[in-house]
């Protein structure tokens, strides 16, 4: 089984990445970006294209963490429905968030075409209802998007049509969203890095940032073997933000998610499992999400851990996959891997400032494939003197996880375990 690479199947199927230098001296830049995932790479690309001198420091390699390991699903909207957001934030703020998220989805296609990034971009996402209550909620949400947001890409399917398109009888019905989709995330991350480098950004790998020193006219990013002095710093570190900025620790939680990739499906199974070639997720709190790869494997993610990474990831994911697709009993699992997901208490992205020269964007809570890269674009806009769209997200209230430094992680784990139990009931 392919456990040798931390990005599993993605690393095995992506073109090799070029070698990039380690930061080993003191350098100066207009902007220092911390983090080589979608957020940081997008920020670096947009800033460099605008003429800024950009230095990006990455602790490991481009796409090493969540951006190179995730399920690759491009989702419509945010974790909270538009009805809920309208009640909590007001109709105009909710509308502004919707419009920006629609642009976030479109940005992936736009950048892929502009920079010739071959990332296996495909349309379609099915959201399967695991029970009748979830189906009613999907129906109401879809109708609301159709009538109040003029979103015609989403439609409901009954249980029979869902079974035909997905290849399982696990769902009471589903929403099919042709405006959503899926990508090969590591190919996309590496493509963004190449585009950013071509535009003039300098990317330093294996150069973990250890501390920030905010001074009157500059910020110094202290790294393991060098420093970057910059006029502005953009933190694009998601689940690991608190390691550099401890004041963010109460706002960010960690969940370990697990993904497997089967061997290429035999033709008969390949034709009946997700025949529409969309991505699929369900409506559970601890959800299953899956899709087919470009070479015909089933990439299946399910189960979560709040404490540690099991030695055998496949052993905990495969039973979930066989519950949904018992016909895959004889199909081998070739790859299995895991990754940290940064979550917030509100399940909404957390954007903000740590001072006049330091911005951050993180906490995408499992829906960051499209929004994270767009978050980088919005941070770049803010640095370039147009902060209005960044502020649309920064105005979303953030809430601290309870418990303090010692009890926060156990309390988050207990809350998430309660959701898992609710799913089972």
């Amino acid at each position: 089984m392919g456990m040798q690479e931390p990005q599993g199947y993605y690393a095995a199927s992506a073109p090799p990445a070029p070698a990039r230098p380690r930061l080993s001296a003191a350098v100066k830049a207009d902007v220092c970006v911390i983090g080589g995932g979608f957020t940081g790479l997008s920020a670096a690309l947009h800033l460099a294209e605008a003429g800024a001198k950009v230095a990006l420091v990455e602790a490991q390699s481009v796409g090493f963490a969540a951006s190179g390991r995730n399920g690759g699903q491009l989702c419509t909207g945010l974790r909270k429905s538009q009805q809920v957001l309208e009640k909590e934030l007001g109709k105009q703020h909710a509308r502004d968030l919707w419009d920006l998220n629609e642009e976030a989805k479109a940005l992936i296609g736009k950048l892929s075409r502009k920079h010739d990034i071959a990332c296996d971009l495909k349309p379609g996402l099915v959201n399967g209802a695991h029970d009748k209550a979830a189906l009613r909620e999907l129906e109401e949400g879809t109708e609301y998007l159709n009538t109040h947001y003029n979103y015609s890409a989403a439609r409901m399917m009954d249980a029979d049509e869902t079974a035909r398109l997905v290849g399982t009888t696990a769902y009471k019905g589903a929403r099919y969203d042709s405006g959503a989709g899926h990508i090969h995330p590591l190919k996309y991350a590496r493509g963004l890095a190449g585009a950013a480098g071509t535009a003039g950004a300098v990317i330093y790998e294996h150069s973990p940032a250890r501390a920030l020193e905010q001074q009157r006219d500059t910020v110094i990013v202290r790294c393991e073997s060098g420093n970057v002095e910059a006029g502005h710093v953009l933190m694009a570190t998601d689940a690991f933000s608190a390691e550099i900025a401890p004041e963010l620790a109460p706002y960010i939680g960690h969940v370990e998610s697990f993904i497997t990739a089967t061997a290429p499906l035999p033709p008969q199974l390949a034709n009946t499992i997700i025949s529409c070639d969309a991505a699929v997720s369900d409506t559970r709190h601890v959800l299953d999400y899956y899709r087919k790869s470009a070479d015909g494997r089933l990439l299946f993610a399910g189960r979560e851990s709040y404490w540690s990474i099991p030695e055998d990831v496949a052993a905990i994911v495969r039973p979930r996959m066989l519950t949904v697709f018992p016909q895959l009993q004889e199909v081998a699992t070739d790859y299995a891997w895991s990754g940290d997901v940064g979550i917030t208490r509100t399940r909404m992205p957390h954007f903000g400032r740590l001072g006049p020269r330091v911005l951050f964007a993180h906490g995408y809570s499992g829906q960051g494939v499209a929004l994270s890269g767009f978050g980088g674009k919005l941070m770049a806009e803010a640095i370039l003197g147009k902060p209005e769209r960044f502020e649309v997200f920064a105005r979303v209230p953030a809430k601290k996880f309870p418990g303090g430094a010692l009890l926060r992680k156990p309390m988050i784990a207990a809350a998430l375990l309660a959701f898992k139990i609710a799913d089972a009931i």
Side-chain angles (χ1 to χ4, degrees), residues 111-330:
L111 293 180
S112 297
R113 292 187 295 271
K114 179 179 179 180
H115 300 288
D116 196 23
I117 301 173
C119 61
D120 305 336
L121 175 61
K122 296 180 181 180
L125 190 150
V126 174
N127 194 199
H130 73 284
D131 62 21
K132 291 182 179 179
L135 180 61
R136 287 193 298 271
E137 189 172 334
L138 274 179
E139 290 170 340
E140 292 170 1
T142 302
E143 174 65 20
Y144 198 83
L145 293 180
N146 291 162
T147 57
H148 293 268
Y149 285 81
N150 197 30
Y151 188 71
S152 59
R155 66 176 181 87
M156 291 302 299
M157 304 188 298
D158 62 19
D160 289 342
E161 184 179 8
T162 301
R164 287 196 303 272
L165 286 185
V166 180
T168 177
T169 58
Y171 307 122
K172 305 298 182 183
R175 173 165 64 202
Y176 184 87
D177 185 356
S178 62
H182 55 105
I183 62 169
H184 187 303
L186 187 58
K187 287 182 179 180
Y188 184 63
R190 290 179 176 176
L192 284 180
T198 298
V202 180
I203 298 174
Y204 298 97
E205 295 185 325
H206 306 290
S207 305
R210 298 304 188 195
L212 300 178
E213 294 181 12
Q214 298 192 54
Q215 302 179 358
R216 180 178 178 182
D217 298 319
T218 191
V219 184
I220 298 176
V221 180
R222 301 287 183 189
C223 296
E224 203 166 69
S225 56
N227 304 317
V228 181
E229 182 179 345
H232 292 88
V233 169
L234 303 183
M235 288 186 55
T237 44
D238 197 32
F240 308 102
S241 298
E243 295 179 12
I244 306 165
E247 60 266 47
L248 291 176
Y251 297 98
I252 194 81
H254 294 220
V255 173
E256 198 75 23
S257 188
F258 309 113
I259 307 182
T260 60
T262 68
L265 300 178
Q268 183 177 358
L269 289 175
N271 291 335
T272 57
I273 290 179
I274 322 180
S275 60
C276 58
D277 209 13
V280 184
S281 65
D282 67 25
T283 49
R284 291 179 172 87
H285 291 99
V286 182
L287 72 163
D288 298 329
Y289 53 101
Y290 48 92
R291 62 192 183 88
K292 286 193 294 191
S293 64
D295 61 350
R297 303 170 187 268
L298 183 67
L299 309 182
F300 193 98
R303 305 294 295 272
E304 295 175 346
S305 174
Y306 320 120
W307 294 102
S308 61
I309 303 173
E311 290 187 8
D312 189 350
V313 168
I316 69 168
V317 176
R318 188 171 175 85
R320 285 294 317 148
M321 182 186 74
L322 293 179
T323 298
V324 180
F325 295 110
Q327 63 268 46
L328 296 182
Q329 182 68 51
E330 303 303 319

Side-chain angles (χ1 to χ4, degrees), residues 30-73:
D30 298 323
V31 183
C32 179
V33 178
I34 306 174
F38 294 156
T39 302
L41 294 168
S42 176
L45 170 60
H46 287 94
L47 286 165
E49 287 184 329
K53 183 179 180 181
V54 180
L56 184 150
V57 292
E58 160 57 39
Q60 298 288 341
S61 57
V62 163
F64 179 84
S67 292
R69 308 186 190 204
N70 62 76
Q73 298 196 356

